[in-house]
Amino acid sequence: MSIRPILIHPDPRLKKVAAPVVDISDELRALSDDMLATMYAAPGIGLAGPQLGIGQRIIVLDCVKSEDEEPNPMVMINPKVIEESDELNVYEEGCLSIPEMYAEVTRPKEVKVSWLGLDGEEHTQDFDGLWATCVQHEIDHLDGVLFIDYLKPLKRQLITRKMVKLKRERAREAS
Ligand code: NI
């Protein structure tokens, strides 16, 4: 299991539509372990394949925030929102590919999601609250959509400029 580098916006690999997974291979299992390790280390509550430069439809999440609760790591392959509530919810979202930037995003409050598990079985589950926001945010990544795409252009450009600067600084530090 290893922690992999997370791509930082702007990066063309974050804007691509990811391809469906056709085979649950050992390589995919290893990838999902790495994704969970990378997410927990960040720390974050969700991570999608494209954020590691992997153009495949796989996400991991664990929205258990309390130290007193058992962790609940989930791996979803080819996840799809199949139902969403009319009722909306506003959450202040962030993203491991857009470090330290947060903004309110409005999304359906509840969603029903179906996905293929590492067990090869089709799963369907309802999500609410932070889990619903997180799973929608991660599925968006598979379609090349970032949470800043929901913001007004000016705000989005401001955040993007900050990220360009951050990447330049990081590149300088690394060289
Ligand atoms: Ni994200």
Side-chain angles (χ1 to χ4, degrees):
M1 206 153 57
S2 60
I3 293 164
R4 303 195 194 184
I6 299 171
L7 297 182
I8 304 296
H9 165 75
D11 187 300
R13 289 167 287 182
L14 291 171
K15 299 304 294 173
K16 278 198 189 136
V17 176
V21 172
V22 289
D23 180 30
I24 299 173
S25 60
D26 288 344
E27 200 186 334
L28 189 81
R29 282 173 212 284
L31 170 66
S32 71
D33 285 344
D34 286 358
M35 285 176 70
L36 282 167
T38 304
M39 178 189 82
Y40 285 127
I45 57 172
L47 190 68
Q51 292 180 277
L52 300 183
I54 309 287
Q56 295 199 61
R57 302 189 77 84
I58 178 169
I59 62 173
V60 298
L61 55 159
D62 184 351
C63 300
V64 173
K65 274 188 150 175
S66 163
E67 300 271 317
D68 309 327
E69 269 177 88
E70 282 295 306
N72 185 13
M74 298 188 86
V75 177
M76 299 184 182
I77 297 155
N78 302 335
K80 245 193 260 151
V81 173
I82 53 171
E83 271 178 50
E84 52 188 41
S85 63
D86 291 332
E87 197 183 339
L88 302 173
N89 200 15
V90 181
Y91 246 108
E92 187 166 70
E93 295 190 21
C95 181
L96 294 178
S97 292
I98 312 172
E100 284 163 51
M101 296 290 138
Y102 303 92
E104 288 189 338
V105 177
T106 304
R107 300 181 187 270
K109 186 176 180 291
E110 289 163 58
V111 287
K112 190 188 283 289
V113 177
S114 74
W115 71 94
L116 200 61
L118 285 173
D119 55 6
E121 301 286 327
E122 194 75 29
H123 298 255
T124 302
Q125 199 179 311
D126 294 314
F127 294 92
D128 193 358
L130 180 59
W131 282 89
T133 290
C134 184
V135 74
Q136 291 176 82
H137 173 122
E138 299 312 328
I139 292 173
D140 269 356
H141 273 297
L142 304 179
D143 294 318
V145 176
L146 302 172
F147 82 90
I148 56 169
D149 293 329
Y150 294 96
L151 309 179
K152 293 203 169 69
L154 214 63
K155 180 98 195 263
R156 186 165 61 237
Q157 284 157 18
L158 185 78
I159 290 176
T160 299
R161 273 203 298 274
K162 282 187 179 161
M163 290 301 106
V164 169
K165 206 172 145 218
L166 176 76
K167 285 174 81 171
R168 214 184 286 136
E169 282 165 7
R170 285 191 180 179
R172 224 182 350 242
E173 280 165 17
S175 66

